[in-house]
Amino acid sequence: MSIFFAGVLSSLVAVFIVFLAKNQVHHVVNLVFFKVYPKISGKWQIIHLTEGEKNESKTRDVMELTQFGSKVGGLNRTYDGDRVVVEDKITGNITASGVFKFSWESKTSEHHDYGTAFVRILTQKKEMRGYVITMCCNCEANPAFGEVLIKKIE
C-alpha cells in the first residue's frame, strides 16, 4: 500500500513541476533579460506621417503587443470609429539597442495586406519612430512606403 501512495505522490509532484515549467518559465526569462531588451508590451497607436506631419484619416491603427525576451507578437487593429475594420497578426523582434523590427499579415481572407516596419524607441520608451512598407496583394497599387510615429497608450 505504501508503494501505491509513493506512486500517487510522485505523480502529483511531476504534475506540479510540469505546471511550473509550462506557466512560469516566461517570467524567469523576462527577469533574466529585464535589463537587456526594452519592454514594449502594451497598447500602441500608429500615426502615419507625411513629411513629418500627421496624416488626417478617419481610421486609426492600434497595436496590442506582448513580449517574451526579444520576441514580440500581437495584433494590429484598424478602427473606423469604434468598429474594427481590419485585424492583422504581428510578429517581430526587438534588439537591445531599442530597434523594433516587425511584420504583419491579415488574419482574414477578405484583406490581403502585408507589411514590414523598422522603428526605434524614443523618449523614455513612450514613442517609436521609423518606416513601414506595405503591400496589398488584392489591389493593383504599388507597395507603399511611409514614415510612422507610434505612441504608447497603455
Side-chain angles (χ1 to χ4, degrees):
M1 195 56 120
S2 64
I3 294 173
F4 173 76
F5 288 119
V8 169
L9 182 63
S10 65
S11 296
L12 291 174
V13 169
V15 167
F16 182 70
I17 290 171
V18 168
F19 172 79
L20 283 179
K22 190 174 182 182
N23 295 309
Q24 302 301 320
V25 168
H26 69 282
H27 293 297
V28 173
V29 170
N30 281 333
L31 285 174
V32 169
F33 294 111
F34 177 71
K35 297 195 184 223
V36 177
Y37 300 110
K39 300 292 180 226
I40 59 171
S41 293
K43 283 191 177 183
W44 298 79
Q45 182 171 1
I46 302 173
I47 301 166
H48 298 275
L49 305 173
T50 303
E51 297 178 13
E53 299 295 321
K54 179 180 176 183
N55 285 350
E56 294 302 323
S57 175
K58 292 190 290 183
T59 62
R60 63 186 166 87
D61 292 319
V62 176
M63 291 191 304
E64 292 182 37
L65 301 176
T66 56
Q67 183 177 354
F68 182 73
S70 67
K71 299 208 180 295
V72 180
L75 293 174
N76 179 47
R77 292 185 178 98
T78 303
Y79 292 92
D80 186 4
D82 288 337
R83 188 174 61 92
V84 175
V85 180
V86 179
E87 192 171 68
D88 301 322
K89 179 184 173 190
I90 296 173
T91 57
N93 292 301
I94 188 157
T95 65
S97 60
V99 175
F100 177 37
K101 49 193 176 197
F102 63 97
S103 299
W104 66 89
E105 63 179 89
S106 298
K107 286 181 67 176
T108 62
S109 59
E110 295 115 30
H111 297 91
H112 300 283
D113 296 330
Y114 302 90
T116 299
F118 293 96
V119 296
R120 183 174 187 98
I121 297 176
L122 306 170
T123 60
Q124 300 163 351
K125 302 176 186 164
K126 302 247 188 243
E127 291 183 353
M128 296 186 263
R129 192 175 193 136
Y131 294 94
V132 299
I133 186 164
T134 59
M135 180 181 290
C136 175
C137 293
N138 242 7
C139 315
E140 292 189 20
N142 291 328
F145 180 78
E147 186 179 6
V148 291
L149 176 66
I150 303 174
K151 291 187 172 187
K152 187 151 181 105
I153 53 178
E154 280 183 24

